[in-house]
Amino acid sequence: MNRESYLNQVRGQRDPFDLVVIGGGATGVGVALDGAVRGLSVLLIEQSDFGKGTSSRSTKLIHGGVRYLQQGNVSLVRESLRERARLQANAPHLVHPLPFLVPCESLWQRFMMRVGFVLYDLLAGKSHFPRAYGASPERAKQAASTIQSRRVHWGGVVYHDGQFDDARLLIHMAMTAAEHGACVLNAAKAVDLLHGEDGQVCGVTVEDQLTQARHDVQARCVINATGPFCDELRRNDDATAEPIIAPSQGVHVVLPREFLPDETAIIVPKTSDGRVLFLIPWHGHVVVGTTDTPIEQATLEPTAQQEEIDFLLRTAGDYLTRTPTREDCLSVFVGIRPLVRPPSRGSGTRGDTKSISRDHTILTSKSGMITITGGKWTTVRQMAEDCIDRAVEQTDLKTNGKSTKELRLHAATQTPSDSVYGTDADLIDQLIAVTPELGEPLHRELSIRPADVVWAVRHEMALTVEDVLARRTRAMFLHIEAAKSIAPEVARLMADELGRDQAWQDQQISQFQATAKHFEIVPNLEP
C-alpha cells in the first residue's frame, strides 16, 4: 500500500468514485474490499488508523457465539459459523481453531452443555473445526491445568471456535482491497458531506490529517461505516436524525502466560452479571474479558473503569488456582461496541446492553447515504456483501458478479502458519538477510524486531509509533511497559524510513506516551 499514490488519485480525481466508504475499521474495510472485488471504484477514508477503535480491541475470537445460541438466535449463530469457516479458509495464517473448556457444576449441566454443543456443531456443517466432546474431571484438568479442581469436579465440555489477530487480519484485508484497486487512506478525515442541488449526498470533503489539506471528493454512493460514531455523521447528513447507537465498552486485561500455560481456553458460562467470560491464550499471553458496560458517549481512546478491571480479576480468580492481581496485569485494552438500540428503547435510554443483538443494521437516509453498523468481526464479510448489495440496488452501479466468499486474503498461506505475516514473512526474512541487525528483538518480552517496523512503514502504511506498536505489531496490547521502553527506538527506525527529524521523533514519543496511559493499570494502593 502506498499512501501518496492514493492521495494523488484523490487530488487528480476526474470521475466520481463509485463508492466513498467512511471508516477504516472491520466494517469499512470489509465494505471497501467487497466493492473493489466486484469491480467498483472505491475510496476508503479513516480519520486515524485502520482499526484504531473497536476492530483492534476485540476478544480475538472468530466464533459462532455460544451466548447467542443460549438466547435462541439460531440464525445469527448459523451465519456466524458459516463465516467462521470461510475466514479460516481464506486467512489460515491468521485464523485457527482453539479448544475451549466449559467447566460444569453438575452432571446435569454437563449433559445440557453437551447437547447444546452438539447443536452448535450441527449448525456449523462441514468445517475444519473439531467436534465438541465431554471431558471427565481428569481430562478437563489436563486441558487446563491451572483451573481450580472444584470447578471441574463434575468435568466439563470441550468445544472449538476460531481465534485470530484482529488488527493483523484488518491490515491484510486493506492490502487485499488495495490489490483489487481500492484507494485506502488512513489519517484522512471526512469533515463534511457534499450534497447536490437535489439534496442527495454526492461526495465528501476529505482533510489530510498530516497536512490539513482539504479535497472535495465526488462519489456515486457514500457509505457511513464509522461504527460507534455513526450517529455523528448521520446528524451531519440530517440534523433531525434520531440516534441509533447504544454504545457499550468491553474491557480486557492481559496476564502472563503462567496463569494459563496450556493451549486450551477457559469459558465462564455465566458470570455474576450474567455475561460469558473468556480466559484465552494469545501470542504467549493470557487475555481475560470481556465486560459490557453501557456508556454515554463513544470516544476514540476509551479508558477502563476500575470496577471493570476488578471484576475481571475477581472472576478469573474464582476459576484459576492463582488469583491475578493488578500487579500481574501487563496491559488493559478497551473497545466500544456499536450496538444498535431496539426501537422501543427510545433515543435516551442506556439500558442493559448485553441483551442487545449483535446483528448488523443497514439504513439509507433521505439523501441516499448508506449507514452500516452493529454486527461483529466474524460476520464482517457477510455484512459487507449485504451493504454493497444495497448500494448497487440503490444507485444502479454495475458490478462484475464476483464474490469474496472464496477470496483468499493477502499473504494467505496454503496451510496454517505460525507467523501473522503469512507469506510476507519470507520477504521480511529477506530484509534481515541483507541487514542482520534488523532481526534482533527490540525487547526480551516481545517478538517485535526492527524488520517488523521497517516493513510496517514501507508496505503497511504505518504513520506513527502507535500504528506500529498497537496495530502492525501488538506490543501495546501485550505488554505496555515493554512497548513504552522501545518507543524511542521505533521512532528512530521510522524516522529513518520516512525522512523525519528529531523533532518529529520527540513529538511521536510524547503522543505515544499519552496514548499508553489508557493501556496502563493503576496498582491497588490500599494496604
Side-chain angles (χ1 to χ4, degrees):
M1 297 188 293
N2 186 291
R3 188 172 186 272
E4 190 61 30
S5 69
Y6 302 145
L7 280 172
N8 287 335
Q9 292 185 53
V10 169
R11 297 182 189 116
Q13 181 189 32
R14 295 182 179 179
D15 298 320
F17 284 97
D18 291 325
L19 303 174
V20 168
V21 183
I22 306 172
T27 302
V29 172
V31 170
L33 173 58
D34 192 281
V37 166
R38 293 207 224 180
L40 303 177
S41 60
V42 180
L43 170 64
L44 170 79
I45 54 176
E46 160 57 42
Q47 65 173 327
S48 181
D49 183 38
F50 308 119
K52 161 69 175 179
T54 308
S55 298
S56 65
R57 302 160 187 257
S58 73
T59 311
K60 320 307 177 192
L61 298 180
I62 296 295
H63 62 138
V66 176
R67 180 160 58 92
Y68 312 138
L69 189 60
Q70 292 175 336
Q71 294 172 350
N73 195 342
V74 175
S75 61
L76 178 59
V77 174
R78 183 187 293 110
E79 177 182 302
S80 299
L81 290 171
R82 180 184 61 204
E83 293 300 321
R84 181 189 71 171
R86 285 173 176 155
L87 261 175
Q88 196 274 333
N90 293 333
H93 59 307
L94 290 168
V95 181
H96 60 87
L98 179 71
F100 290 78
L101 169 66
V102 186
C104 297
E105 298 179 353
S106 65
L107 287 175
W108 176 249
Q109 184 187 27
R110 181 173 157 187
F111 170 75
M112 293 303 296
M113 284 286 181
R114 184 73 183 88
V115 171
F117 282 111
V118 167
L119 175 59
Y120 195 71
D121 289 337
L122 286 173
L123 290 172
K126 294 182 179 179
S127 76
H128 295 289
F129 289 81
R131 301 292 182 177
Y133 61 87
S136 65
E138 294 77 18
R139 195 171 183 183
K141 191 69 174 177
Q142 288 174 356
S145 59
T146 53
I147 193 170
Q148 293 181 22
S149 297
R150 67 183 180 89
R151 290 294 183 182
V152 290
H153 178 74
W154 299 102
V157 175
V158 175
Y159 75 102
H160 287 74
D161 249 327
Q163 185 180 50
F164 77 136
D165 186 314
D166 46 13
R168 291 303 313 172
L169 180 60
L170 183 64
I171 294 300
H172 283 189
M173 287 169 58
M175 295 175 83
T176 309
E179 290 164 359
H180 283 81
C183 293
V184 290
L185 277 175
N186 53 358
K189 184 176 183 179
V191 294
D192 201 4
L193 296 171
L194 304 177
H195 294 84
E197 294 182 358
D198 58 358
Q200 295 296 290
V201 66
C202 61
V204 298
T205 299
V206 180
E207 181 179 88
D208 183 349
Q209 298 297 281
L210 302 187
T211 65
Q212 280 66 59
R214 293 191 174 190
H215 307 280
D216 287 346
V217 179
Q218 303 296 317
R220 295 183 176 88
C221 182
V222 173
I223 296 177
N224 173 10
T226 54
F229 305 99
C230 74
D231 283 334
E232 181 179 341
L233 193 59
R234 292 176 61 245
R235 285 191 292 270
N236 181 299
D237 177 50
D238 178 2
T240 66
E242 291 289 334
I244 60 172
I245 295 298
S248 163
Q249 74 175 28
V251 174
H252 302 78
V253 296
V254 179
L255 302 172
R257 186 61 188 273
E258 64 198 56
F259 281 91
L260 192 64
D262 308 287
E263 296 302 323
T264 299
I266 297 173
I267 179 172
V268 178
K270 189 173 183 180
T271 64
S272 59
D273 70 344
R275 284 192 51 76
V276 170
L277 190 79
F278 297 95
L279 295 85
I280 303 170
W282 187 67
H283 287 331
H285 297 72
V286 180
V287 175
V288 180
T290 177
T291 60
D292 196 335
T293 307
I295 56 176
E296 293 291 347
Q297 187 175 3
T299 59
L300 199 57
E301 194 59 70
T303 302
Q305 299 175 14
Q306 299 309 310
E307 296 81 7
E308 294 176 298
I309 295 171
D310 291 339
F311 167 77
L312 293 176
L313 296 177
R314 184 172 61 252
T315 303
D318 286 341
Y319 281 79
L320 300 177
T321 52
R322 175 184 163 195
T323 299
T325 66
R326 287 171 174 264
E327 287 71 21
D328 294 312
C329 295
L330 302 177
S331 188
V332 58
F333 60 93
V334 187
I336 298 178
R337 303 178 184 88
L339 303 179
V340 181
R341 66 176 81 245
S344 61
R345 287 189 176 270
S347 61
T349 304
R350 292 174 65 197
D352 177 10
T353 53
K354 66 178 178 287
S355 64
I356 299 179
S357 172
R358 269 54 174 173
D359 214 343
H360 64 281
T361 295
I362 301 175
L363 303 172
T364 301
S365 71
K366 292 181 289 186
S367 72
M369 183 178 74
I370 296 174
T371 293
I372 177 169
T373 192
K376 58 189 189 125
W377 244 118
T378 305
T379 57
V380 72
R381 192 213 64 82
Q382 184 64 57
M383 292 166 58
E385 183 178 280
D386 292 347
C387 185
I388 296 299
D389 285 347
R390 172 74 67 90
V392 168
E393 176 185 359
Q394 181 175 306
T395 58
D396 198 29
L397 295 170
K398 305 302 180 184
T399 66
N400 57 20
K402 293 183 179 180
S403 170
T404 56
K405 289 180 180 178
E406 298 180 0
L407 176 70
R408 291 176 63 79
L409 297 183
H410 173 87
T413 52
Q414 293 301 314
T415 58
S417 170
D418 292 333
S419 173
V420 295
Y421 291 103
T423 58
D424 284 345
D426 294 336
L427 301 177
I428 298 174
D429 288 342
Q430 292 176 22
L431 292 177
I432 296 171
V434 174
T435 312
E437 56 265 31
L438 293 180
E440 296 297 323
L442 291 172
H443 195 284
R444 67 180 183 275
E445 298 291 339
L446 298 167
S447 61
I448 179 176
R449 307 159 297 177
D452 301 319
V453 180
V454 171
W455 179 265
V457 174
R458 291 183 184 178
H459 302 285
E460 297 179 347
M461 282 173 58
L463 302 176
T464 69
V465 170
E466 183 195 331
D467 292 350
V468 170
L469 290 178
R471 291 169 291 278
R472 304 311 183 278
T473 71
R474 310 316 305 273
M476 290 184 74
F477 287 76
L478 296 172
H479 200 307
I480 189 58
E481 291 302 321
K484 287 164 59 178
S485 72
I486 64 175
E489 178 61 13
V490 171
R492 186 194 67 77
L493 289 164
M494 295 185 71
D496 288 346
E497 287 293 316
L498 296 169
R500 305 293 188 181
D501 58 15
Q502 186 61 49
W504 180 86
Q505 295 181 51
D506 294 341
Q507 181 187 45
Q508 280 296 302
I509 295 169
S510 176
Q511 291 175 353
F512 176 82
Q513 296 288 356
T515 302
K517 294 183 184 299
H518 296 275
F519 289 75
E520 298 171 354
I521 290 184
V522 178
N524 191 344
L525 302 179
E526 296 180 2

